């Protein structure tokens, strides 16, 4: 067992009986806030081994099962004649532990064995996450350049008001996106990363909004019968939190792109290319229930211009309960992606990913 893994288990056990209170002003006394505390909690272990492949006699196993996290002990894992799926998460967000947890929450409850590498930008210094955490759990691109991955997620970033070329890590990100196009079976681009990917690969521009698109919005399906939407309702909700947008008419000019889902209020939601080798998602289905609330309080405290998030609080009143409308859609979409666009589409020999064509899921 590596020293990093031992540190991880110690942190897990310390955190296993702790929970964060709901944030101030949420009106949720006695409820628990679904973000990690200062210690690295269950999520850190989950995203390294999903389902969890850990010693069967480890005390944490029973605690994790009580959290409804799928746990696979090492004895059972050794009897499975399968290759674990390899995922990479390029985390561009400043508060990295919260973002890790958001995505782990959606990917953890799967019968597939998954290993995840956490990636950070070498050309950018993160100021909001401890160097100890980054050094223990994150890799730079150079460390994985020769590796092929079955799936990848590139997160959003709070840089959308800058021109793409003015982002200080743009050149490195372009290199990673080009590498992913050949070395990853399917890549999810989230929010700003979706805009960045569409701009880099297809020349689709982004435009500033008059006011921040902020809230939970109703969406519909343009192509309902594809595997990504298997089990979806005709209408579903997704959180958005952004200052810029991409336009439908620009995407329609690119034959290689398909608009899969849209919202009359939030605009284009999901765009796909190469049958799912790249999937561009403008919203934040991964958000925990309190994320928009935390962002709202932050901007109010800073006296920034911000509206109450739409369709989020009961009666649009920040002192009342939050309505979580997107959880089922989020879990279903990520499960469908992991199953149909990663597991069922990736070759057993990961070297063959480099010669893979379009996905036909």
């Amino acid at each position: 067992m590596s020293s990093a893994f031992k540190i991880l288990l110690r942190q897990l056990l310390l955190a296993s009986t702790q929970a964060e209170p709901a944030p101030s002003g949420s009106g949720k006394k006695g409820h628990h806030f679904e973000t990690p505390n200062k210690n690295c909690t269950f999520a850190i272990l989950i995203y390294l081994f999903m389902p969890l492949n850990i010693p069967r006699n480890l005390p944490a196993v029973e605690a994790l099962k009580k959290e409804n996290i799928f746990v696979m002990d090492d004895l059972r894992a050794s009897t499975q004649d399968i290759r674990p799926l390899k995922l990479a998460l390029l985390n561009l967000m400043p508060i990295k532990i919260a973002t890790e947890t958001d995505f782990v929450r959606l990917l953890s409850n799967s019968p597939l064995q998954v290993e995840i590498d956490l990636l950070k930008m070498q050309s950018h210094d993160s100021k909001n996450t401890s160097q100890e955490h980054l050094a223990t759990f994150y890799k730079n691109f150079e460390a994985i350049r020769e590796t092929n991955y079955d799936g990848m997620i590139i997160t959003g970033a709070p840089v959308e008001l800058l021109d793409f070329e003015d982002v200080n890590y743009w050149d490195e990100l372009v290199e990673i996106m080009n590498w992913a196009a050949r070395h990853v079976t399917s890549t999810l681009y989230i929010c700003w990363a979706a805009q960045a990917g569409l701009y880099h690969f297809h020349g689709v521009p982004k435009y500033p909004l008059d006011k921040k698109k902020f809230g939970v919005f109703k969406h519909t399906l343009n192509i309902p019968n594809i595997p990504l939407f298997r089990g979806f309702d005709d209408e579903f909700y997704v959180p958005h939190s952004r200052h810029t947008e991409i336009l439908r008419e620009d995407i329609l000019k690119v034959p290689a792109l398909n608009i899969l889902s849209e919202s009359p209020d939030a605009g284009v939601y999901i765009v796909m290319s190469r049958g799912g080798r790249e999937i561009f998602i403008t919203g934040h289905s991964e958000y925990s229930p309190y994320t928009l609330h935390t962002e709202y309080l932050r901007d109010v405290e800073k006296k920034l211009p911000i509206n109450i998030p739409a369709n989020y609080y009961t009666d649009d009143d920040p002192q009342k309960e939050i309505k979580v409308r997107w959880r089922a859609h989020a879990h279903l979409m990520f499960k469908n992606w992991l199953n149909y666009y990663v597991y069922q589409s990736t070759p057993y020999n990961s070297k063959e990913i480099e010669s893979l064509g379009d996905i036909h899921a």
Side-chain angles (χ1 to χ4, degrees):
M1 184 181 296
S2 70
S3 59
F5 189 58
K6 291 178 180 178
I7 293 171
L8 185 62
L9 292 179
R10 268 202 310 273
Q11 292 172 325
L12 173 68
L13 292 171
L14 285 172
S16 62
T17 59
Q18 301 178 18
E20 291 289 322
S24 175
S26 68
K28 306 269 189 318
K29 293 182 179 178
H31 287 225
H32 292 298
F33 187 23
E34 295 187 26
T35 58
N37 55 29
K38 293 180 181 178
N39 294 310
C40 302
T41 57
F42 298 118
I44 298 173
L45 185 57
I46 297 164
Y47 60 56
L48 293 177
F49 302 95
M50 295 186 308
L52 298 181
N53 177 1
I54 55 180
R56 65 184 312 184
N57 59 345
L58 190 72
V61 170
E62 289 304 315
L64 290 166
K65 287 180 179 179
K66 291 176 183 177
E67 293 291 320
N68 293 320
I69 301 299
F70 186 91
V71 179
M72 178 177 291
D73 61 56
D74 50 3
L75 178 62
R76 179 179 173 189
S78 67
T79 67
Q80 292 197 322
D81 187 20
I82 61 174
R83 173 179 71 80
L85 296 174
K86 287 187 67 67
L87 299 186
L89 174 63
L90 177 57
N91 191 347
L92 303 179
M93 292 296 288
I95 311 298
K96 297 197 182 302
I97 295 177
T99 303
E100 296 156 14
T101 304
D102 284 344
F103 285 104
V104 164
R105 186 180 292 115
L106 295 173
L107 293 170
S108 61
N109 208 12
S110 166
L112 304 171
Q113 285 200 53
V114 182
E115 300 172 355
I116 293 189
D117 284 336
L118 296 176
L119 307 180
K120 62 180 179 66
M121 306 302 289
Q122 187 168 357
S123 53
H124 176 76
D125 292 328
S126 179
K127 300 179 178 63
N128 296 283
T129 301
S130 74
Q131 291 303 308
E132 179 185 9
H133 182 83
L134 295 174
T136 303
F137 301 115
Y138 276 78
K139 299 178 181 180
N140 292 326
F141 174 57
E142 287 301 321
I144 58 94
R145 180 188 290 274
E146 302 303 320
T147 305
N148 294 332
Y149 287 88
D150 305 301
M152 185 174 188
I153 299 171
I154 304 180
T155 74
V159 295
E160 57 184 317
L161 292 177
L162 296 174
D163 290 340
F164 292 114
E165 292 82 0
D166 290 339
V167 175
N168 65 3
Y169 51 78
W170 178 250
D171 290 343
E172 183 182 4
L173 181 60
V174 165
E175 185 178 13
I176 292 173
M177 290 190 291
N178 288 337
W179 166 88
R182 184 181 180 193
H183 292 268
V184 180
T185 298
S186 180
T187 302
L188 296 183
Y189 292 79
I190 308 296
C191 197
W192 178 81
Q195 296 179 346
L198 287 168
Y199 173 76
H200 170 62
F201 289 120
H202 304 287
V204 176
K206 63 180 173 72
Y207 302 92
L209 292 164
D210 293 334
K211 60 181 180 179
K212 185 177 183 179
K213 185 64 62 180
F214 192 46
V216 183
F217 301 97
K218 183 186 296 184
H219 294 66
T220 57
L221 306 175
N222 294 350
I223 309 176
N225 295 324
I226 66 169
L228 187 65
F229 298 144
R230 194 154 292 169
F232 268 49
D233 293 325
D234 293 338
E235 297 178 341
F236 57 97
Y237 287 83
V238 182
H240 287 259
S241 178
R242 50 186 166 82
H243 294 275
T244 57
E245 66 176 345
I246 53 175
L247 297 182
R248 188 177 203 273
E249 49 264 37
D250 290 330
I251 297 170
L252 293 177
K253 295 174 185 176
V254 184
L257 297 176
N258 292 302
I259 302 175
L260 305 185
S261 176
E262 299 176 85
S263 165
D265 298 311
V268 174
Y269 173 45
I270 301 180
V271 179
M272 179 182 286
S273 68
R274 298 200 295 162
R277 295 293 304 274
E278 292 85 29
I279 301 174
F280 307 97
I281 301 173
T282 66
H284 284 288
S285 58
E286 80 280 2
Y287 269 7
S288 75
Y290 284 100
T291 303
L292 291 177
H293 177 77
T294 303
E295 291 183 8
Y296 173 67
L297 293 184
R298 176 200 64 198
D299 290 353
V300 168
E301 183 178 350
K302 293 181 177 180
K303 298 184 173 12
L304 297 174
I306 187 66
N307 291 329
I308 294 172
N311 310 311
Y312 181 57
Y313 301 111
T314 300
D315 299 326
D316 290 326
D317 183 348
Q319 298 304 315
K320 294 186 177 181
E321 292 288 326
I322 291 168
K323 291 183 178 180
V324 180
R325 306 167 186 257
W326 66 92
R327 184 185 290 119
H329 144 262
H331 279 275
L332 186 56
M333 183 177 70
F334 275 82
K335 186 175 291 186
N336 285 346
W337 172 69
L338 194 61
N339 182 15
Y340 298 112
Y341 296 88
V342 179
Y343 172 66
Q344 294 194 35
S345 297
T346 200
Y348 183 84
N349 181 354
S350 62
K351 190 67 178 173
E352 295 177 6
I353 294 173
E354 297 175 25
S355 57
L356 195 65
D358 292 2
I359 288 176
H360 301 285

